[in-house]
Amino acid sequence: MKWPTHGSNPQFLYGALHLDMPESVIDFSANINPLGPPAIVKDRWNELFPLVSDYPDPTAARLTELIATKEGVCEKQILVGNGGAELISLIGRILSGKKALIVQPAFSEYEEACRVNQCEVRYHLMDVESWELRLEDLLVDLREVDAVFLCNPNNPSGMFFPKQTIELLARECAKYETMLIVDEAFYDFVVEYESTVSCLQSCENMIILRSMTKMYSIPGIRLGYIMANEAMLSKLRSNKPHWSVNAIAMKVGEWCLSEEEYVEQTIHLINNERERLMSFYHENEFFYSPTNVNFYLLKDAKVHDQFPFFLFLMEKGMIPRHTMNFPGLDGKWLRLAIKGPTEHERLLEVMKEWRKVDS
Ligand SMILES: Cc1ncc(COP(=O)(O)O)c(C=O)c1O
């Protein structure tokens, strides 16, 4: 069977499993802010129409300026892209013919971007039982490659490595001239997040990647950015299509950056819901990953094979993300997004039903 490579678009997952898609479903497979886009996007939507008939600014000057102010870096250290995914594919291009180490399990696009550019891929597997990063081993492994990918917060587990870990990696990568790519697509969901931007000074080869599609719930519009040193950015930029970021995405991005209250509300909601879910799972013998963000890994502690549990959820219209293509997980866990109270009421009812079937 050919498993879909990403979450979202659940029709592909039902198709692959030869299951009928129930009329009413809740998609827990995409990790998007459950509040939907900030109200300003809908309120000012009509202002976007005139942008359609002009070419967008290929430098994304205004958005870049706003990001620079927010992050405390200079504008020359920012490259805006058509979602984090476009930027990952640009990174793949500059790794052509080289060797990259991916701290796994992680977002599958790193490997994809490397492979299409004939970049040799190696894995550094995290321990998925203790959820520990074997840092000492990683510091040795990174000497033998040209680049290291670290997803922080980690997709799929939701775990977050603190700034000291990144600083240590950055110093070591600088010593061995290894490129360090830290994907912070979900950084803004982490309460205790401390900016890693200062690491760019100690590590010339460092790239910090951000997505704006998760927190601001705009995956259909596509927006992300990279922070790195100028020399690195000019290599990346030379591979980027001129107008890859459209004018609507830029304008929406400009609006979103001032939505601090919405971000606070989101974090508050996610924290409350996470606590409620985890206490249910704890009491009902499910294992879950120690997540700091808006998604988590889950498995039924009472059964070895998770596939019947996965099928049960799908049949009930509760769509998890399978983990068949995450090295180290290989389908032994399910990933679910954290959503709102209404969705979780339904989800927990279904979990209780499963417990009855299962026992
Ligand atoms: C860890 C991680 N990085 C980057 C991306 C790309 O995000 P986007 O292209 O929507 O900005 C994703 C999307 O799921 C992701 O999970």
Side-chain angles (χ1 to χ4, degrees), residues 83-85 88 107 110 151 155 183 185-186 209 211 213-214 222-223:
I88 292 168
F107 186 46
Y110 314 146
C151 188
N155 174 7
D183 181 350
F186 295 95
L209 181 104
S211 166
T213 70
K214 321 297 186 181
R222 325 288 311 120
L223 198 60

Side-chain angles (χ1 to χ4, degrees), residues 131 151-163 185-194 215 266-275 278 288-297 336 338:
W131 297 109
C151 188
N152 191 36
N154 175 263
N155 174 7
S157 69
M159 272 181 70
F160 173 66
F161 308 110
K163 187 180 177 186
F186 295 95
Y187 85 101
D188 33 13
F189 291 93
V190 178
V191 176
E192 63 275 30
Y193 175 80
E194 246 188 288
M215 174 54 80
T266 303
I267 291 177
H268 183 72
L269 170 76
I270 298 291
N271 285 352
N272 284 347
E273 290 304 308
R274 188 171 46 223
E275 222 173 283
M278 300 311 148
Y288 51 88
S289 57
T291 176
N292 294 77
V293 291
N294 59 327
F295 55 88
Y296 55 97
L297 287 170
L336 285 95
I338 298 180

